[in-house]
C-alpha cells in the first residue's frame, strides 16, 4: 500500500480530530444548527478515516486457504462502508437537524464563537485538503481529473480528497448561513444552511458509493497495462497470438492476469513450458503489480470453438494472431 495514501489519511484524521470538539462546543454555545451539522460532519469524517486505515491494514494480510487470492479487495469494501456512513449519518443528521431548525427557528447566540471556530476549521481542513490534493495530483499523471478518479484503483486518496472538499464547502455554507441569519435577522437561514450541508454530503456519498462499487465487483487493469502485456506478447516470437486477456484488480497494487496464448506449433512441450515461464517473468518485471498469472496454451481455433460453444460471437481472427 502506498505510503502517500496513509499520509493523506493521517493528515485528514488529525485535522478532523482537532476541530470536531471545537465545533460541538461552538454549537452548544450558539445553538446553531449549521454548526451542529458541521460537528457531526467532522465526527463522521474522523470515523471514516479510521475505517480506511483499518481497511488498509486488513487488505495487506497474506493469502490463506480460505482466501487464496488474498484480502486486497477488503479495502474496497471499507471504502463502500465509508460512503454509506457519510450518506446515512452525515447527510441524514444534517438534513434532520436543518428540518428541525426550520420548524422551530431560534436566533444564533454569540455568533463570534461560530466565526472563530469556522475560521480555525478552515485552516486545518485546508491543510488536510492540500495534502490530499497534492497526492492525487501526483498520481493522476496526464489524465483529466474526472478520468483520474474513474481509473484510480486506490480509493483512499480520492475518498479523502472528496471528504475534505465536502468539508471545505460545508464550512463555507455554515459561515454564510450563520452570517446571513444574523445579518437579515432570519434564523430560518441557519436551518437552510444545515440542509445544504446535508445535500453536499449526500452527493459526495453517492459519488463515492458509485466509484467503490466498480472496484468492489472487480475492475480490469488500465489500458496502459493491457497494452504493455500485448507488447510483451508481440516481442516473443514463440507466441503467435494472444487469444484473450482478462485482468482484475484484487487490490490497488494487486492485478490478476489470465491469458489464452497461442504458441508456435513447432515448439515441444518443454519449450512451451519455458516460454510460459519467460512470459510470466517478463510481465512481472515490466508490471510488478501483476501478482498472479494464469496462462492457457490454446490455439486460436480451439479458443474460437470454445467461444462459439459458450455463446460468444467471435468470427474473426484477433489482430495479434497469425
Amino acid at each position: 500500500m502506498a505510503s502517500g495514501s496513509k499520509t493523506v489519511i493521517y493528515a485528514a484524521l488529525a485535522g478532523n480530530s482537532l476541530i470536531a470538539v471545537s465545533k460541538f462546543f461552538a454549537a452548544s454555545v450558539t445553538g446553531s444548527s449549521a454548526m451542529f451539522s458541521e460537528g457531526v460532519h467532522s465526527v463522521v469524517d474522523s470515523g471514516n478515516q479510521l475505517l480506511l486505515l483499518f481497511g488498509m491494514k486488513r487488505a495487506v494480510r497474506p493469502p490463506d486457504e480460505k482466501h487464496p487470492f488474498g484480502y486486497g479487495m477488503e479495502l474496497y469494501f471499507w471504502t463502500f462502508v465509508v460512503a454509506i456512513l457519510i450518506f446515512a449519518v452525515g447527510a441524514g443528521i444534517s438534513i434532520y437537524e436543518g428540518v428541525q431548525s426550520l420548524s422551530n427557528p431560534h436566533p444564533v447566540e454569540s455568533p463570534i464563537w461560530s466565526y472563530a471556530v469556522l475560521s480555525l476549521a478552515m485552516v486545518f481542513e485546508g491543510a488536510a485538503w492540500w495534502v490530499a490534493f497534492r497526492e492525487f495530483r501526483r498520481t493522476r499523471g496526464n489524465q483529466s481529473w474526472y478520468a483520474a478518479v474513474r481509473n484510480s484503483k486506490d480509493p483512499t486518496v480520492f475518498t479523502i480528497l472528496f471528504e475534505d472538499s465536502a468539508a471545505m464547502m460545508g464550512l463555507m455554507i455554515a459561515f454564510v448561513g450563520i452570517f446571513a441569519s444574523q445579518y437579515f435577522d432570519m434564523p430560518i437561514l441557519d436551518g437552510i444552511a444545515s440542509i445544504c450541508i446535508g445535500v453536499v454530503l449526500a452527493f459526495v456519498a453517492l459519488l463515492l458509493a458509485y466509484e467503490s462499487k466498480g472496484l468492489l465487483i472487480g475492475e480490469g487493469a488500465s489500458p496502459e497495462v493491457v497494452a504493455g502485456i500485448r507488447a510483451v506478447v508481440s516481442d516473443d516470437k514463440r507466441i503467435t497470438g494472444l487469444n484473450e486477456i482478462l485482468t482484475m484488480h484484487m487490490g490497488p497494487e494487486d492485478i490478476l492476469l489470465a491469458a489464452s496464448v497461442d504458441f508456435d506449433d513447432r515448439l515441444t512441450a518443454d519449450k512451451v513450458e519455458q516460454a510460459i515461464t519467460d512470459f510470466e517473468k517478463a510481465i512481472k518485471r515490466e508490471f510488478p503489480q501483476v501478482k498472479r498469472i494464469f496462462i492457457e496454451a490454446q490455439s486460436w481455433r480451439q479458443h474460437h470453438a470454445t467461444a462459439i460453444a459458450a455463446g460468444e460471437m467471435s468470427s474473426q481472427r484477433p489482430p495479434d494472431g497469425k
Side-chain angles (χ1 to χ4, degrees):
M1 201 67 62
S3 59
S5 299
K6 285 189 176 181
T7 300
V8 170
I9 296 176
Y10 283 130
L13 180 59
N16 285 310
S17 299
L18 287 171
I19 61 180
V21 176
S22 60
K23 285 180 178 179
F24 279 120
F25 173 76
S28 66
V29 172
T30 63
S32 169
S33 295
M35 183 58 70
F36 181 81
S37 297
E38 274 301 297
V40 172
H41 185 179
S42 293
V43 170
V44 172
D45 282 353
S46 297
N48 291 341
Q49 278 116 44
L50 290 173
L51 284 177
L52 288 176
L53 289 172
F54 177 72
M56 293 174 74
K57 182 178 179 180
R58 299 273 296 178
V60 297
R61 288 180 297 165
D64 53 33
E65 185 176 351
K66 192 173 183 180
H67 296 88
F69 291 105
Y71 292 82
M73 296 187 75
E74 190 157 349
L75 176 60
Y76 300 154
F77 168 76
W78 289 109
T79 304
F80 190 75
V81 171
V82 164
I84 294 174
L85 287 177
I86 294 175
F87 185 84
V89 181
I93 292 180
S94 295
I95 293 175
Y96 174 79
E97 179 67 19
V99 172
Q100 289 292 102
S101 180
L102 291 181
S103 62
N104 184 27
H106 55 273
V108 176
E109 302 176 1
S110 304
I112 190 64
W113 283 100
S114 293
Y115 298 142
V117 170
L118 288 173
S119 299
L120 184 64
M122 286 182 183
V123 173
F124 287 118
E125 291 284 7
W129 180 88
W130 176 249
V131 173
F133 175 78
R134 187 175 56 185
E135 178 66 17
F136 186 74
R137 185 176 60 183
R138 183 186 68 81
T139 58
R140 79 182 180 97
N142 296 323
Q143 303 178 88
S144 66
W145 294 102
Y146 175 77
V149 173
R150 295 290 295 121
N151 296 330
S152 176
K153 309 304 179 184
D154 185 354
T156 54
V157 176
F158 69 72
T159 296
I160 298 300
L161 181 62
F162 286 174
E163 280 188 349
D164 289 346
S165 298
M168 292 297 292
M169 292 182 64
L171 290 170
M172 290 185 285
I173 292 172
F175 197 101
V176 171
I178 294 172
F179 176 80
S181 67
Q182 180 189 20
Y183 185 81
F184 295 106
D185 194 22
M186 296 177 61
I188 193 175
L189 296 178
D190 181 55
I192 293 175
S194 181
I195 294 175
C196 290
I197 292 171
V199 171
V200 170
L201 291 176
F203 174 77
V204 170
L206 292 174
L207 185 60
L208 285 177
Y210 178 78
E211 292 299 327
S212 300
K213 181 210 68 172
L215 294 168
L216 192 58
I217 63 177
E219 284 190 0
S222 67
E224 292 77 14
V225 172
V226 175
I229 294 173
R230 292 187 181 277
V232 171
V233 171
S234 64
D235 290 340
D236 194 327
K237 303 307 179 183
R238 296 168 296 181
I239 301 176
T240 60
L242 180 61
N243 300 320
E244 187 175 34
I245 177 172
L246 302 174
T247 61
M248 187 169 72
H249 268 269
M250 309 302 294
E253 295 295 328
D254 185 355
I255 298 176
L256 171 69
L257 166 64
S260 172
V261 179
D262 189 358
F263 290 96
D264 191 326
D265 294 337
R266 294 168 294 181
L267 295 178
T268 64
D270 290 342
K271 290 183 177 181
V272 168
E273 291 177 358
Q274 185 59 49
I276 291 176
T277 300
D278 294 341
F279 176 73
E280 292 180 348
K281 289 181 178 179
I283 293 297
K284 291 184 177 181
R285 183 172 57 251
E286 186 75 18
F287 304 102
Q289 65 269 42
V290 179
K291 306 298 185 184
R292 298 170 184 81
I293 301 176
F294 298 92
I295 304 296
E296 180 182 27
Q298 187 180 44
S299 70
W300 178 80
R301 292 181 178 83
Q302 290 174 323
H303 173 76
H304 182 70
T306 302
I308 293 297
E312 301 175 6
M313 299 304 295
S314 178
S315 59
Q316 295 183 351
R317 181 86 173 186
D320 43 353
K322 293 182 179 180

